[in-house]
């Protein structure tokens, strides 16, 4: 019974986060577009396949620029979210520079992981604003 309660708790937590992210994506299309590139590059990188991020790092940096310059919904225009969006832009540019300079796979993986964390920070901060 204890395992069932724990499972139920985590299932509900996952569902709540998914709903919050969907709502954020609906309100802020630029972060949704960034997420599409992130999900298609980060998850393969987690499995050791860096080809997608090496091929799309410039696109990732471009999408991060668009996030920062987009029409950010009023409820998401907080100092914390704007600072995180700027960090997303900077880390995306850094990642692209690493890829362009043919940095080690370890350095690229570390960079995309940090970028992924910043993305989730933004989504989490947006969820708090609702």
């Amino acid at each position: 019974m204890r395992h069932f309660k724990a499972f139920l708790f985590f299932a509900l937590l996952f569902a709540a986060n998914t709903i919050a992210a969907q709502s954020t994506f609906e309100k802020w299309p630029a972060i949704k577009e960034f997420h599409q590139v992130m999900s298609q590059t980060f998850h393969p990188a987690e499995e050791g396949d860096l080809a997608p991020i090496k091929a799309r790092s410039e696109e990732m940096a471009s999408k991060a620029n668009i996030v920062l310059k987009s029409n950010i919904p009023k409820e998401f225009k907080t100092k914390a979210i704007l600072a995180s969006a700027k960090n997303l832009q900077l880390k995306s540019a850094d990642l692209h520079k690493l890829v362009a300079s043919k940095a080690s796979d370890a350095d690229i993986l570390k960079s995309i992981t940090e970028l992924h964390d910043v993305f989730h920070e933004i989504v989490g901060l947006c969820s708090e604003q609702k």
Side-chain angles (χ1 to χ4, degrees):
M1 183 65 158
R2 189 170 75 190
H3 292 292
F4 176 74
K5 286 181 182 179
F7 171 77
L8 185 59
F9 171 77
F10 285 112
L12 290 172
L13 183 63
F14 176 77
N17 283 335
T18 301
I19 290 167
Q22 287 173 343
S23 181
T24 298
F25 293 162
E26 290 168 7
K27 292 180 179 180
W28 193 1
I31 200 75
K32 179 180 181 179
E33 290 178 23
F34 180 87
H35 176 254
Q36 289 173 337
V37 178
M38 174 58 75
S39 68
Q40 294 168 359
T41 57
F42 176 71
H43 298 298
E46 283 182 300
E47 302 297 322
D49 181 8
L50 296 176
I53 190 55
K54 288 179 179 180
R56 298 180 74 188
S57 65
E58 185 173 17
E59 180 185 5
M60 178 91 76
S62 174
K63 297 289 184 187
N65 284 332
I66 292 169
V67 165
L68 191 60
K69 295 175 182 173
S70 69
N71 184 16
I72 301 170
K74 186 176 182 175
E75 69 263 34
F76 300 154
K77 279 190 175 182
T78 66
K79 287 182 182 181
I81 292 172
L82 292 173
S84 291
K86 181 65 177 170
N87 196 22
L88 189 83
Q89 181 190 40
L90 294 172
K91 288 198 174 290
S92 293
D94 290 344
L95 173 59
H96 178 59
K97 288 176 189 172
L98 286 172
V99 170
S101 70
K102 301 192 184 309
S104 72
D105 286 356
D107 287 342
I108 292 170
L109 181 60
K110 180 180 182 215
S111 182
I112 194 171
T113 300
E114 290 173 357
L115 183 60
H116 182 258
D117 291 345
V118 172
F119 166 75
H120 276 285
E121 177 180 283
I122 292 169
V123 173
L125 288 167
C126 289
S127 296
E128 291 175 8
Q129 297 306 309
K130 296 179 186 161

